[in-house]
Amino acid sequence: MRMALSGKGMEGEAPSVRADRLERVPLLTGLPEALLAYIHAHGICWHAGQERVLYVQHDQEDFIAFVLEGCVQHVLHGSDGREIIVTVSGEGDVLGEAGLFDAQRHSATARALENTTLWLLSRRHFPVLLSHPPFVLRIQHLMCRRMREVVGLVESVCLHRLESRLARYLLDEAERHGRLESEGILIPFKHSQSTVASMLNASRPKLNAQLQSWSRSGLILRGQHVLLIPDLERLRRIAVKDSGA
């Protein structure tokens, strides 16, 4: 079921959310209290179950959303039914920020990867957001980061083997979510292999074979929803291998 936005609000539940939950969103941390109060007063809380669609590709960009918990995956669909996951937005991330400056249409479909809670602010409230220079500057930095991520995705998919793409993905996860342990770097691996394969533009069997090969060689140690990387430098060397078929 797809979410709808209108002058009357949005489909889905709208329970109260404490303002301090919004303050934990990195984009909003430290902004003027008046702006945070405005976002809290005029936003809508939206709960989504697994696989619930937030918007589809080519829908109008008419709201900005902050992820309070859960994950949202951004998906491109091919005419043959295949799909590639461009990126995944987790807790503290922002969706729909480009609509603040350019009222175009979404370039990908967004759907909840798990039970997810979002805080949404509709287009009619954008002028107030854009009247605060610190907020605008943070959005511009965010959009620059998004552009670099897209360039990195194109480079990875087009120029590198699967083992290099997977190594880059794990290094990124280690940088974002890794925890230093005595045996190495522990990172979450809660997405299904099908999801990760889609993110890497690979088949699930090939991804599984690569993970098994790395497990046998000791490059990674696999646990339930986690991976341990004993030697991060070894993984970095794989990530920068020459491109090939």
Side-chain angles (χ1 to χ4, degrees), residues 20-31:
D20 60 1
R21 292 193 67 185
L22 292 175
E23 294 175 3
R24 294 200 293 268
V25 174
L27 185 78
L28 303 179
T29 302
L31 289 177

Side-chain angles (χ1 to χ4, degrees), residues 14 67 112 153 161 235 240:
V67 184
L153 173 67
R161 298 182 178 94
L235 195 65
V240 297

Side-chain angles (χ1 to χ4, degrees), residues 46 48 52 54-55 67 69-75 85 87-91 93 95 109-114 116-118 191:
W46 188 74
R52 179 81 179 274
L54 175 61
Y55 52 77
V67 184
E69 59 185 17
C71 289
V72 176
Q73 55 187 6
H74 306 268
V75 185
I85 299 174
T87 187
V88 175
S89 299
E91 182 176 337
D93 284 336
L95 313 178
T109 295
R111 69 184 179 217
L113 188 57
E114 57 190 50
T116 299
T117 301
L118 306 173
H191 302 318

Side-chain angles (χ1 to χ4, degrees), residues 182-195:
S182 59
E183 301 87 355
I185 301 296
L186 189 69
I187 62 174
F189 198 74
K190 61 181 181 179
H191 302 318
S192 69
Q193 287 192 21
S194 296
T195 296

Side-chain angles (χ1 to χ4, degrees), residues 124-145:
R124 66 181 179 274
H125 301 296
F126 286 3
V128 173
L129 300 181
L130 295 174
S131 69
H132 288 262
F135 177 84
V136 174
L137 183 60
R138 292 185 184 190
I139 287 291
Q140 290 172 340
H141 286 164
L142 173 63
M143 294 178 69
C144 289
R145 178 168 64 84

Side-chain angles (χ1 to χ4, degrees), residues 39-108:
I39 294 172
H40 183 253
H42 296 280
I44 294 175
C45 185
W46 188 74
H47 287 300
Q50 187 175 6
E51 298 299 321
R52 179 81 179 274
V53 173
L54 175 61
Y55 52 77
V56 299
Q57 189 175 1
H58 306 309
D59 273 356
Q60 192 72 36
E61 290 186 324
D62 49 12
F63 63 86
I64 186 172
F66 307 99
V67 184
L68 300 184
E69 59 185 17
C71 289
V72 176
Q73 55 187 6
H74 306 268
V75 185
L76 294 176
H77 298 277
S79 58
D80 58 356
R82 291 191 306 160
E83 64 179 40
I84 179 172
I85 299 174
V86 181
T87 187
V88 175
S89 299
E91 182 176 337
D93 284 336
V94 183
L95 313 178
E97 70 282 350
L100 288 165
F101 306 103
D102 188 18
Q104 297 297 315
R105 297 183 181 275
H106 291 288
S107 57

Side-chain angles (χ1 to χ4, degrees), residues 148-168:
R148 290 192 293 269
E149 289 174 350
V150 169
V151 172
L153 173 67
V154 173
E155 176 191 0
S156 179
V157 169
C158 296
L159 300 179
H160 297 278
R161 298 182 178 94
L162 173 58
E163 64 172 350
S164 178
R165 300 201 300 273
L166 179 56
R168 287 168 173 239

